[in-house]
Amino acid sequence: ASTEGTLICLLLVALLVSHMLLTKEGVTSLPICPKGSVSCQLSLEELFDRAVKLSHYIHFLSSEIFNEFDERYAQGRGFIAKAVNSCHTASLTTPEDKEQAQQIHHEDLLNLILGVLRSWNDPLIHLASEVQRIKEAPETILWKAVEIEEQNKRLLEGMEKIVGRVHSGVVENDIYTPWDGLPSLQLADEDSRLFAFYNLLHCLRRDSHKIDNYLKVLKCRLIHDNNC
Amino acid sequence: MDLRHLLFTLALICANDSLSASDDILQRPQISKCRSPEMETFSCFWTAGNFYNLTVPRILQLLYKKSNEEDWKECPDYITSGQNSCYFNASYTSVWTPYCVQLASKKEVYDKKCFSVDEIVLPDPPVHLNWTLLNTSQTGIHGDIQVRWDPPPTADVRKGWITLEYELQYKEVNETKWNELKPRLSTMAPLYSLKTARDYEIRIRSRQRTSEKFGEFSEILYVSFSQIGIGCDHCTEEVEFPWFLVVVFGVCGLAVTVISIMLSKQPRLKMLIFPPVPVPKIKGIDPDLLKKGKLDEVNSILACHDSYKAQLYCDDLWVEFIELDIEDPEEKNRASDTDRLLSEDDLKSHSCLGTKDDDSGRASCCEPDIPETDFSASDTCDATSDSDQFKKATEKEEDLLCLERQDNDESLPDLASTDPQHQHRNTESENSSVWAPFEDSVESPHLSVHTQISNQNSLTSTDFYAQVSDITPAGRVVLSPGQKSKLGRAQREGCTEQNFTMDNTYFCEADVKKCIAVTSQEENEPRVQEQGYNEDGYFTTESLTTTVANLGAPTAAAPSSEMPVADYTSIHIVQSPQGLVLNATALPVPDKEFNVSCGYVSTDQLNKIMP
């Protein structure tokens, strides 16, 4: 019995040690703020950290889904040649180069980011549902579409929190462009329908890259004082 | 000759010239790539091709157009990026805007490309590579270093405009294959366990974090430990893991351990590591009996045994049985035994007559009702029988035999069909140790079960054996009372083809009798137990009672008065492992009329039937 006891003890110790080691490496656990708790507040740095992580993840997924879609459906259809397209968010005047990004006020930039994210809310929902109707759509594309839609929602929430912290005045909610591309995703002609998807995914990749970039610029500017 | 030679060589030269001239495949001018090193400017490069004669200057233009424009514009800067290139500076660059460029002369368009600047980012290589020593191993053979570098100067990482990832590659100087480290965001990387005696080369390249393509490699950094004075002169010997020694010693140790365990006197340890291989053993039977070939004893044991899996033995028993059937003196012997047993009132005492529980197995069949095959042997079974074996041996849908009564002479076992029929017998009075060899009908379709009771009307002379009416799921044998004369049993008809329950069990209404529950065995709690019969000899099967209950009220009305019950029914057909069809031969019924249909009888009706 004593040997068994010692064995159990050793096992427990081993488990404990391994748990400690595992939780130390790699996983940077973000502090958990229980909902509704007033006193618990994430610092702005942490909020930006999370936002940048999310935006990077969304852009990564968007790139992948675009590449997969391109490989699978767009080859030989000459979509690229027609890709001089306009995204539905083109009406939002966002900074197009570093100069403009440096010069724009951070509140305006935050509002712009919010506007782009809101404008993508609707298309992403429909993308996730319509992409299931593409015949023989690979599973990876399907789950990525769903994942992007979910993460976009989370990023939107995070951004609203950040805006709430950073904004001194009234939060503007009017930056938004509606999306009317749903019929094009439901066209009967397969070629046209796939082209619509291609365009949408191309726009998604571009806009997610924009948002990722703007957030990083803002983070370096506000948190690290331009010294990332 | 000379002239011919000369002409020949001239011809060869000419052919060579013309061939080599036509070797130049006509190549169109084409745009080779467009690249942006920092997402603020970009350049496009093209190849001129060899379309035109070299004399005529080719005028190639690169025209570009943004997506929202109509006109093609010419390249603003042909010089900065080198020859055959076009450089777009920051003022011409819009990052997320689609561009199209085309390479054209005045006459035709040779090539066209569309892209947006964020897609063509290929950063410059990192700069300022250096390394520092972290530590060396104790032997001085290995060392760890930390490599540091700076991001490419063109990329504005500090303001976060572009985020770069770096991949470091290193190798020994005289190797050919580069080792790669995982891409990382930080501008430093440790390298562990480098051999101090060797020199290394390191190079790094970068890419934008979400892109796939890397930029160019940086300049190579040379790492030499001897330069900083920790080179190890005598470190040429490489300590390799002594695999051979490990294997040899491991095998020896293992062999020694095994041998010591085998030879050790510690039985527990031996059992733990080398568990004994189970040998075939019939529970309750001394293996020595089998060795010595005492078939008689074994048969007797098996006869008492619940699980009749040894067909061989059963057959032998049958043979014996048949023989004995003819001989009267044996029957009388039997009768005396039966009498003795029947006269016993106290069935609760599971002590068989004068037997001790030894391993021979004979004593372990504990039910007193189970007959003995060995006529000579006087010991009956011990009360503590192996009901468990019955349990294990029999499944839910065991066949309950409605064994038709047969004459004494008829001793041959018939193969029954798969219509098991139950016969509940009133066994209150009978404690006969009747011999009921049977096989587990569930296990084998071939049922040679047949218990015959000698003349059921005669109490004394025919009670060698009782009819097995069924097998309980608990593993008990339900025997029909060999003698019904006490109770005025009448014979019943067997069931012909009948309705089958889902369990493949069904009752022969005619033959339904209440079985007496066993008292001693806890496992058996049939409803009939409540009838108050405390004889141990016969048990109702649980399945019987439950089936009876499940079936609900039996469709056929049981005869109000007591119906004669056939002790056994000849097995008509064996249909499947699950059932027997018994002959529904009309038995002489003294004064009753029977319902031929074999319905289901509830317990209550059983009670009514039973006296």
Side-chain angles (χ1 to χ4, degrees), chain A residues 56 59 63 67 84-85 95-98 101-102 202 205-206 209-210 213-214 216-217 220 226-228, chain B residues 39-40 67 90 93-98 100 114 118-119 156-161 163 208-210 212:
Chain A
H56 175 75
H59 175 55
S63 294
N67 288 337
V84 186
N85 50 40
E96 285 291 305
D97 58 27
K98 195 175 81 165
Q102 300 284 35
H202 194 257
R205 185 178 73 163
R206 177 187 309 163
H209 189 239
K210 257 194 211 178
N213 239 68
Y214 296 157
K216 283 169 182 163
V217 166
C220 285
N226 274 334
N227 198 8
C228 271
Chain B
M39 226 162 53
E40 296 170 44
S67 65
T93 311
S94 307
V95 178
W96 290 284
T97 314
C100 280
C114 291
D118 52 298
E119 296 165 4
D156 193 353
V157 189
R158 286 178 58 179
K159 297 211 187 81
W161 181 243
T163 314
Q208 195 188 27
R209 202 169 155 212
T210 46
E212 288 174 358

Side-chain angles (χ1 to χ4, degrees), chain A residues 179-187 192-194 196-197:
Chain A
W179 178 66
D180 55 359
L182 182 57
S184 64
L185 291 185
Q186 295 168 328
L187 289 172
S192 314
R193 192 155 45 95
L194 288 177
F197 273 106

